[in-house]
């Protein structure tokens, strides 16, 4: 089977990537911030394809013997992450990432990671402060994971559907809009007030400035029809994005 494999990814930074730091500044890109963001999108994708993903803030965390599909790859208490993640800034516009196996990663996991990166590049953003208009837009220049394609048959044999889990954010209930205009953003704020969040739950719409101008938002199952109605025909639904991935 050979030794552990390493996969290289090169990102072009179109807008600053925030990953936290002293006094909430982001002068250095930190791996922990990138991994956290990558996992957030991976969880949304996993839920969208019928798997499970936990959220310790909404319930008990996963543990070694009984864990969700997201923790299978990213780890939890007693169950280590399957890979080492390293990043290095080549310049203020280029970020190189290495993903090296700690344990053998299945082709379906590599394919899911590849699709997660594709969603971030084309529709979302990476890093912390997703709600900030100026952070997190990237373009993928090189990607060793591109050869790993995702097929429905792979998911049937892989998804465990075990462990504690929640159903949001779920990629099936996202909307994505390229180059949103002011009136559309205003309509979403006024007519879909649930997107503003409540209590300890943050807002669920994210509007990004150029370059890569985009808006993405997600809703609960009962709210989603209203979100699609407010977004109008300009929006691409999560189902459409999933259909293009599998």
């Amino acid at each position: 089977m050979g030794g552990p494999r390493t996969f290289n990814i090169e990102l072009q930074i179109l807008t600053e990537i925030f990953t936290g730091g002293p006094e909430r500044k982001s002068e250095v890109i930190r791996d922990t911030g990138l991994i956290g963001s990558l996992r957030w999108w991976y969880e949304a994708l996993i839920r969208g394809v019928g798997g499970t993903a936990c959220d310790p803030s909404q319930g008990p965390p996963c543990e070694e013997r009984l864990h969700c599909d997201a923790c299978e790859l990213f780890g939890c208490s007693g169950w280590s992450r399957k890979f080492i993640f390293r990043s290095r800034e080549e310049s203020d516009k280029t970020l190189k990432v290495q993903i090296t196996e700690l344990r053998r990663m299945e082709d379906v996991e590599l394919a899911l990671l590849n699709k997660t990166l594709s969603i971030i590049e084309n529709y979302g953003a990476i890093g912390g402060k997703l709600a900030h208009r100026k952070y997190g837009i990237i373009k993928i220049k090189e990607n060793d994971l591109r050869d790993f394609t995702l097929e429905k048959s792979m998911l049937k044999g892989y998804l465990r559907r075990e462990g504690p889990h929640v159903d949001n954010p779920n990629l099936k209930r996202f909307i994505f809009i390229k180059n949103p205009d002011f009136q559309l953003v205003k309509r979403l704020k006024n007519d879909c007030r649930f997107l503003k969040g409540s209590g300890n739950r943050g807002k669920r719409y994210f509007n990004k400035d150029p370059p890569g101008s985009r808006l993405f938002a997600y809703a609960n199952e009962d709210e989603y029809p209203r979100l699609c109605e407010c977004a109008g025909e300009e929006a691409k639904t999560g189902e459409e994005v999933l259909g293009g991935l599998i």
Side-chain angles (χ1 to χ4, degrees):
M1 299 242 344
R5 296 171 294 176
T6 294
F7 304 94
N8 295 293
I9 302 157
E10 182 176 323
L11 308 178
Q12 180 182 352
I13 302 171
L14 300 183
T15 65
E16 183 181 357
I17 298 175
F18 182 90
T19 56
E23 299 179 358
R24 297 181 178 267
K25 295 181 179 179
S26 188
E27 297 174 355
V28 177
I29 295 177
R30 291 168 169 80
D31 290 351
T32 52
L34 293 175
I35 293 170
S37 178
L38 185 66
R39 174 164 181 155
W40 189 86
W41 284 106
Y42 186 89
E43 289 173 352
L45 174 57
I46 280 287
R47 295 181 185 113
V49 298
T52 56
C54 68
D55 183 348
S57 70
Q58 296 189 51
C62 285
E63 296 181 353
E64 177 182 4
R65 291 189 178 182
L66 192 66
H67 56 262
C68 68
D69 293 312
C71 285
E72 174 67 16
L73 179 61
F74 280 85
C76 60
S77 177
W79 181 260
S80 63
R81 191 169 66 235
K82 288 187 176 180
F83 60 91
I84 298 172
F85 183 100
R86 296 187 181 96
S87 69
R88 181 178 76 253
E89 288 183 80
E90 294 287 294
S91 69
D92 60 351
K93 296 298 181 184
T94 303
L95 181 70
K96 290 194 173 182
V97 170
Q98 282 191 334
I99 293 175
T100 302
E101 290 178 323
L102 286 170
R103 287 178 285 138
R104 189 74 176 182
M105 295 167 67
E106 297 186 34
D107 284 359
V108 63
E109 293 170 329
L110 294 165
L112 285 163
L113 272 180
N114 181 35
K115 297 308 179 186
T116 301
L117 288 168
S118 177
I119 293 166
I120 292 170
E121 176 189 26
N122 293 301
Y123 304 103
I126 195 167
K129 291 194 174 182
L130 279 187
H132 195 289
R133 296 176 64 96
K134 298 185 182 296
Y135 288 139
I137 305 300
I138 53 100
K139 182 177 179 61
I140 300 174
K141 303 295 289 183
E142 297 180 14
N143 180 8
D144 286 352
L145 298 176
R146 281 200 172 115
D147 291 338
F148 294 92
T149 57
L150 188 61
E151 300 176 5
K152 289 183 180 179
S153 59
M154 299 165 69
L155 294 169
K156 288 179 181 178
Y158 173 73
L159 296 175
R160 297 154 44 93
R161 298 183 177 88
E162 294 180 349
H165 59 276
V166 299
D167 196 37
N168 220 31
N170 185 322
L171 194 65
K172 281 188 175 181
R173 296 196 296 273
F174 271 71
I175 57 100
F176 303 95
I177 302 171
K178 294 288 182 71
N179 302 310
D181 61 38
F182 172 77
Q183 291 302 323
L184 187 150
V185 176
K186 183 179 179 181
R187 184 167 72 245
L188 281 175
K189 289 181 179 179
N190 291 338
D191 297 348
C192 295
R193 294 184 178 276
F194 51 81
L195 295 177
K196 295 181 179 180
S198 60
N200 65 344
R201 309 304 297 171
K203 72 178 187 178
R204 290 178 275 151
Y205 73 93
F206 312 90
N207 184 29
K208 298 294 184 177
D209 290 341
S213 176
R214 64 192 60 179
L215 183 147
F216 50 97
Y218 65 92
N220 297 327
E221 186 173 8
D222 59 334
E223 301 163 341
Y224 190 61
R226 181 59 177 162
L227 174 58
C228 291
E229 181 183 352
C230 291
E233 296 181 356
E234 295 180 54
K236 196 165 190 173
T237 66
E239 289 274 14
E240 290 174 312
V241 170
L242 277 172
L245 296 176
I246 305 175

